[in-house]
Amino acid sequence: MSWFLLGIRSGIRTERYAANAPAPAGATPGFPHETRFETTDDAAGNQARCPTGAIHAQGDVATVNRDRCIHCMRCASCDGSAAMEWKVDYNWAHGTDGVDTLPAAFHGSLHVRVIDAGDCGACLNEIAHLSDPFYNAHRHGIFITPTPRHADVLLVVGPVTQQMRAELATAYEAMPEPKRVVAIGACAVSGGIFGPSVMCAAGASSVVPVDIFVPGCPPPPLAIVHALLGVCESKPLER
Amino acid sequence: MKPLGSVQDVLAEWPFLAHASLAPDVDLIKPPSDMLHAIATRLRAHGWHLGTIVASETADATDLRYCFYGTAGRGWLHVLLDVDRQTRQTPSLTPVYISADRHEREIEDLFSITFTAHPRLGDFVFHDDKWASGIGLMRPQAPQHIAQTNRPWEPHHVLQEEGAFIMPVGPIFSGHAESALFLLETVGEDVVRAVPRLFYKYRAIEKLAEGRSVHDVLLLVERCNGMSALGNGWGYCNAVESALGIDVPARALALRTLLAELERIRHHAGAIREICESTALTVAANQAAVLEEELLRVTAQLTGHRYLFGTLAVGGLARDFDAEAIAEMLVAVHNILPRFAKMREALEKTGSFLDRIENIGLISPEKAQTFELLGPMARASGVDLDLRTSHPYGRYEDAEFSVPVEYEGDGFARLRVLFREVEQSARILNGVANAPGGALRGEIPQTPGSALGWAEAPRGASLHWTCIAADLSLLRYHFAPPSFRNWHGFHIATEDFAFQDFPIILATLDLSVAENDR
């Protein structure tokens, strides 16, 4: 059977993208969500369980700092005390205060250069899946480009290792204006579990100015699409 | 010459050496350093493999632990060598076991130990243009902040012909490739040899692990290479569990086996996608991407995470799955599997695709054995080595499956191994579908201990050395991932090739930079 026929017979697998629409099952791990517990001990227990200090307990309420969360899932599976509530969404991107979006000319034509600054491979794989039939980022006019000189947006993954610092800065300088930087994943957002440390920085913003942060470990393709659409404001960003 | 078939034979051969039994089938000998070559030469002649070399330094001792393992049922032999603290010199094992080369270069950079008679040291973990030599990051008195230097650096030119030049590719290149620099030496048409310069992504996981609890180090191990989080994580758990003597319940072992094979199928779908992508066979790449994404979703529906992060726990599993959810996962996987077979059939009939991957990136069986390559890469070059059968753990002893081996050692053979391993993983899934009931985690005693653990991750043997204090924090953690060894295979596969084959060779080798760099 020819590839053409095989492709046609597979049918259309692309899913409609709509901001705030429910995600297909398994497309995103979701995030722990602000939870009110019956006892203060349950809230404190979840704060103690969190290895990166993403959960903060105040009385019987535990709040979540998504930027620090590494999806260790410990607050989803607890022995004895109650688990955090999880919200299965993907609108995770948030901008730094007062960020300028790119002008309308970039709508439907956004060129993206990916910089691996110490990633484990999961974020990169989710970025690779942007162009698979399910997400098909091309239809939003999002294109991965091989050189920063053609790029409007820099997608940084990884905590920025010492040996990638200079390379990341050089790539940023090589981009034409206007340009935006998006930090993808817990490592690039806050250093994750690797930084700041002897060989890792505390994420992309320690080397280049970051405009949009996408927390998650890793953020699923839908979250990355949401962030990239937010760069040129064709979809609103939500915290 | 007497055969050295088992650890007992080795002990009988050199009865005068200090020795200790660490565990059943794991023995340790302590020879003087000038005997290392004689012992290693005999071991090599009798088919012992070098697992890894673990360097450790405390306030009063510096030692090197060479971990050897025999094929099926021959156990493990640890050779412990004291390093002279004054000269910090020790004989290199590379002349005997060429696979020791990368381990020794790494130790030289991390512990400032010099290996005499090693062919090439320096510019490995710490790049010569950015760091002064002799940092010794893993030594107890290493500085917490290290200033970078900017020094000139010139790649090593092997090719001396007229007009020869080096074409650098990286460290930032291609669409979404991992960061690594490739130096392609050429005289203009074909590439004569290619040298990778790695460790741009060095995160010092082994350093970060020191002083952290065994539970928190698992988070680092999972995020070393996100694509085989469970495979590597299981190897680490095996190490901790044998160090502390934790009894892992049967239910956890069965579920770990189930999840490990689910991860292997998903990982191989991704590897197949990358091979198709590298040959610009877009329809096939998209078909494989659909398979991978469906498997990611099936994984997330069962465990909550697409890449199985946070599923393992030291002593067992972090959470239980009910029989219904497991059955749903198996049904979903079995609906996906026939499409692998269909894809393989279609790919094998696509002449333009075969032209691109046949006879490229050749690794001969002799080279694969000499360099002791691991995983699917080695099995495509006729090496029948798989820790799941040779040193079983989990439920693999009872599982019915075979280890697929191909002999051509080219890109196509590696692709066929991936497809055949998917079929075998599906057989294992069926075998462990009915996990026995019972507890999910074993009790964790507060005792110190040290042990080597292993698992066959999707990319090959993943070895972990843990040395644990009584408060369950790590004193020393060493991780020898399969990709670290397999970058040797890159050197072999990239001798004399055409420029346009470079991405294809790289894709068929399926090497992880993150896993190598750690």
Side-chain angles (χ1 to χ4, degrees):
Chain A
M1 186 163 47
S2 76
W3 285 108
F4 174 73
L5 283 177
L6 195 68
I8 294 287
R9 281 188 194 161
S10 310
I12 294 172
R13 302 302 303 268
T14 308
E15 285 155 351
R16 216 170 76 79
Y17 177 87
N20 310 323
T28 165
F31 252 124
H33 190 63
E34 185 175 309
T35 309
R36 182 174 293 275
F37 290 98
E38 283 176 11
T39 67
T40 52
D41 285 356
D42 285 344
N46 277 294
Q47 177 177 326
R49 197 173 286 120
C50 181
T52 54
I55 296 178
H56 180 67
Q58 264 184 320
D60 57 353
V61 177
T63 54
V64 180
N65 175 5
R66 290 183 167 190
D67 287 357
R68 298 265 356 146
C69 176
I70 57 161
H71 279 103
C72 69
M73 319 293 282
R74 284 184 189 171
C75 61
S77 51
C78 311
D79 309 315
S81 68
M84 296 284 287
E85 280 170 23
W86 278 59
K87 198 171 166 188
V88 183
D89 59 359
Y90 56 87
N91 301 337
W92 299 351
H94 61 89
T96 50
D97 291 339
V99 58
D100 287 335
T101 50
L102 287 172
F106 290 89
H107 290 194
S109 173
L110 195 68
H111 289 251
V112 174
R113 169 68 237 191
V114 185
I115 304 281
D116 168 15
D119 178 57
C120 72
C123 288
L124 276 180
N125 203 53
E126 297 294 48
I127 291 171
H129 273 285
L130 286 183
S131 48
D132 87 11
F134 283 99
Y135 305 105
N136 189 11
H138 286 183
R139 79 201 139 120
H140 302 296
I142 296 168
F143 305 96
I144 307 270
T145 171
T147 164
R149 291 187 198 281
H150 296 165
D152 312 309
V153 176
L154 209 58
L155 278 191
V156 185
V157 291
V160 188
T161 55
Q162 291 277 12
Q163 305 204 124
M164 280 304 289
R165 280 186 91 103
E167 282 72 10
L168 173 59
T170 312
Y172 178 76
E173 277 160 29
M175 290 167 71
E177 293 280 353
K179 53 189 168 186
R180 296 291 179 268
V181 178
V182 180
I184 299 284
C187 292
V189 169
S190 65
I193 44 166
F194 295 113
S197 68
V198 62
M199 279 290 138
C200 296
S205 54
S206 32
V207 179
V208 290
V210 177
D211 301 291
I212 289 178
F213 296 92
V214 191
C217 186
L222 284 173
I224 302 170
V225 171
H226 174 250
L228 288 173
L229 293 177
V231 171
C232 47
E233 218 186 15
S234 39
K235 292 281 185 297
L237 283 181
E238 283 170 29
R239 176 86 204 191
Chain B
M1 220 194 273
K2 276 183 289 174
L4 296 181
S6 67
V7 175
Q8 282 67 37
D9 295 341
V10 176
L11 298 179
E13 182 78 10
W14 296 286
F16 49 88
L17 294 180
H19 76 270
S21 178
L22 304 177
D25 286 333
V26 185
D27 281 79
L28 173 120
I29 53 173
K30 287 180 81 172
S33 61
D34 53 6
M35 269 191 73
L36 178 70
H37 270 211
I39 294 172
T41 309
R42 292 290 310 279
L43 290 174
R44 181 98 178 109
H46 291 281
W48 287 77
H49 299 280
L50 176 68
T52 183
I53 307 175
V54 189
S56 309
E57 182 158 333
T58 56
D60 35 51
T62 306
D63 54 44
L64 291 168
R65 179 184 295 262
Y66 299 79
C67 304
F68 298 95
Y69 61 102
T71 40
R74 284 209 239 156
W76 292 79
L77 179 70
H78 293 205
V79 178
L80 192 68
L81 233 60
D82 274 332
V83 177
D84 186 336
R85 309 253 290 181
Q86 297 303 314
T87 61
R88 299 193 75 78
Q89 281 193 349
T90 191
S92 166
L93 189 63
T94 307
V96 185
Y97 275 92
I98 199 158
S99 50
D101 165 65
R102 290 172 60 81
H103 293 286
E104 292 183 344
R105 293 179 69 182
E106 187 189 28
I107 293 168
E108 198 247 353
D109 269 7
L110 296 182
F111 287 89
S112 305
I113 295 172
T114 307
F115 293 88
T116 50
H118 188 285
R120 190 160 70 109
L121 293 169
D123 194 56
F124 195 60
V125 177
F126 297 109
H127 295 164
D128 283 355
D129 52 343
K130 292 196 174 123
W131 311 95
S133 58
I135 295 172
L137 182 72
M138 292 295 290
R139 296 176 64 185
Q141 71 278 28
Q144 283 303 300
H145 298 282
I146 309 163
Q148 290 197 8
T149 55
N150 277 314
R151 299 185 299 168
W153 175 76
E154 189 57 33
H156 182 63
H157 292 252
V158 169
L159 211 56
Q160 297 293 337
E161 281 171 73
E162 198 186 343
F165 67 98
I166 289 180
M167 186 171 133
V169 177
I172 296 170
F173 71 108
S174 184
H176 39 72
E178 292 190 84
S179 293
L181 175 63
F182 299 98
L183 303 161
L184 310 183
E185 280 200 72
T186 174
V187 280
E189 287 292 331
D190 285 355
V191 180
V192 179
R193 63 194 288 275
V195 182
R197 194 180 190 221
L198 302 166
F199 290 99
Y200 281 92
K201 293 165 61 164
Y202 179 61
R203 292 162 288 174
I205 285 180
E206 292 181 7
K207 181 81 179 170
L208 294 178
E210 285 177 4
R212 294 200 192 189
S213 83
V214 289
H215 308 288
D216 287 354
V217 173
L218 179 59
L219 303 174
L220 292 169
V221 179
E222 286 177 332
R223 285 155 189 78
C224 172
N225 174 8
M227 301 308 291
S228 35
L230 196 112
N232 289 334
W234 194 356
Y236 166 77
C237 287
N238 279 338
V240 175
E241 285 150 10
S242 36
L244 302 179
I246 302 170
D247 199 10
V248 184
R251 179 169 179 78
L253 290 181
L255 289 176
R256 280 181 181 180
T257 310
L258 190 86
L259 295 169
E261 295 311 312
L262 177 62
E263 180 182 64
R264 197 180 313 275
I265 296 174
R266 192 260 297 147
H267 172 273
H268 286 4
I272 293 165
R273 164 176 63 83
E274 286 195 5
I275 294 174
C276 296
E277 234 168 49
S278 72
T279 60
L281 193 62
T282 319
V283 181
N286 280 337
Q287 297 275 340
V290 169
L291 293 180
E292 192 191 359
E293 174 68 21
E294 285 184 12
L295 286 162
L296 283 168
R297 289 184 179 188
V298 168
T299 310
Q301 278 170 281
L302 178 67
T303 68
H305 196 281
R306 286 157 63 89
Y307 294 87
L308 290 161
F309 291 180
T311 313
L312 281 173
V314 171
L317 283 181
R319 85 195 74 104
D320 209 348
F321 314 113
D322 57 42
E324 206 174 309
I326 294 172
E328 267 175 42
M329 182 274 278
L330 287 170
V331 169
V333 171
H334 281 282
N335 285 334
I336 292 169
L337 285 171
R339 281 145 63 198
F340 275 98
K342 212 166 165 183
M343 245 196 92
R344 178 180 173 184
E345 200 185 321
L347 284 173
E348 289 186 350
K349 286 180 186 159
T350 307
S352 60
F353 175 71
L354 295 183
D355 287 346
R356 302 298 305 273
I357 64 165
E358 273 183 318
N359 290 317
I360 59 124
L362 278 173
I363 301 175
S364 67
E366 296 74 37
K367 288 267 176 72
Q369 276 165 16
T370 308
F371 285 85
E372 297 189 279
L373 303 184
L374 302 168
M377 183 195 281
R379 295 196 276 273
S381 296
V383 180
D384 185 2
L385 180 66
D386 190 324
L387 291 179
R388 289 178 296 170
T389 53
S390 68
H391 298 78
Y393 55 96
R395 292 294 302 278
Y396 289 114
E397 209 152 14
D398 332 317
E400 271 184 38
F401 70 108
S402 61
V403 179
V405 179
E406 299 279 347
Y407 295 89
E408 290 86 344
D410 62 348
F412 187 34
R414 289 193 281 273
L415 180 70
R416 289 201 308 272
V417 165
L418 294 177
F419 275 113
R420 289 180 58 193
E421 287 196 5
V422 169
E423 287 169 16
Q424 296 304 324
S425 294
R427 286 179 65 192
I428 302 174
L429 281 185
N430 290 339
V432 292
N434 293 319
L440 200 62
R441 276 188 298 278
E443 199 130 326
I444 302 175
Q446 298 270 338
T447 52
S450 56
L452 186 81
W454 60 89
E456 185 78 15
R459 284 181 165 103
S462 169
L463 305 183
H464 304 252
W465 168 258
T466 54
C467 185
I468 304 165
D471 65 347
L472 297 185
S473 69
L474 268 282
L475 295 169
R476 169 84 174 109
Y477 169 58
H478 168 77
F479 178 20
S483 291
F484 182 72
R485 174 70 58 80
N486 278 353
W487 274 96
H488 271 303
F490 176 86
H491 284 274
I492 307 162
T494 54
E495 282 173 8
D496 283 313
F497 63 97
F499 267 113
Q500 66 271 23
D501 286 341
F502 181 66
I504 302 174
I505 294 176
L506 206 53
T508 63
L509 291 175
D510 186 28
L511 291 160
S512 165
V513 179
E515 198 176 78
N516 172 79
D517 294 3
R518 282 160 286 158

